[in-house]
């Protein structure tokens, strides 16, 4: 039987990302994402619930996440689910599910950008040609 392991999440960072490097020099970035879900109960009551998910990003994208993301920033994460197991110093076995990101798309304002506008070193997005620049 075939398997399928694909996750797409959109949410907000609950803390600043943590960028570190493996002993071989590979960049890895971890951050936690809060994903909200709204639903209506059978009684018609509106409810909200939050799911907290750990995201792991590798390579150049990890460095980019470490530099430009911050707590509260909205992102879209495309990746796969992974289970990690380890043993504590006391000998207890632990495991955790996390998402290994294949792509992280930044949404919303950049870290350090007040009021949601672009920061000093981020250019203003183009909204098309100026009225006097129309090529006809």
């Amino acid at each position: 039987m075939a398997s399928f392991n694909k996750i797409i999440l959109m949410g907000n960072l609950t803390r600043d990302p943590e960028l570190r490097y493996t002993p071989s020099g590979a960049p890895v970035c971890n951050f936690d994402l809060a994903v909200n879900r709204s639903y209506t109960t059978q009684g018609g009551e509106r409810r909200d619930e939050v799911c907290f998910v750990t995201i792991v990003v590798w390579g150049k994208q990890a460095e980019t996440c470490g530099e430009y993301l911050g707590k509260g920033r909205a992102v879209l994460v495309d990746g796969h689910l992974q289970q990690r197991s380890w043993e504590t110093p006391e000998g207890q076995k632990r495991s955790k599910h996390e998402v290994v990101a294949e792509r992280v798309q930044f949404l919303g304002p950049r870290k350090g950008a007040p009021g949601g506008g672009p920061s000093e070193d981020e250019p203003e997005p183009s909204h098309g040609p100026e009225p006097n620049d129309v090529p006809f």
Side-chain angles (χ1 to χ4, degrees), residues 120-135:
E120 300 134 18
D121 56 347
E122 185 176 16
E124 184 73 39
S126 172
H127 298 290
E130 293 296 320
N132 295 336
D133 293 340
V134 179

Side-chain angles (χ1 to χ4, degrees), residues 51-122:
C51 182
F52 298 98
V53 182
T54 299
I55 310 294
V56 181
V57 189
W58 290 89
K60 177 67 176 153
Q61 188 168 225
E63 293 178 316
T64 303
C65 288
E67 182 176 350
Y68 294 107
L69 290 180
K71 180 179 179 178
R73 178 83 185 256
V75 294
L76 178 75
V77 176
D78 180 359
H80 64 273
L81 190 62
Q82 165 183 283
Q83 182 177 10
R84 189 167 50 92
S85 300
W86 69 97
E87 195 169 302
T88 66
E90 296 80 31
Q92 295 176 322
K93 292 185 180 195
R94 303 275 189 212
S95 67
K96 179 178 187 174
H97 284 91
E98 54 196 13
V99 173
V100 177
E102 293 156 12
R103 190 176 79 125
V104 178
Q105 184 172 341
F106 301 172
L107 308 171
R110 183 173 169 187
K111 178 170 84 172
S119 67
E120 300 134 18
D121 56 347
E122 185 176 16

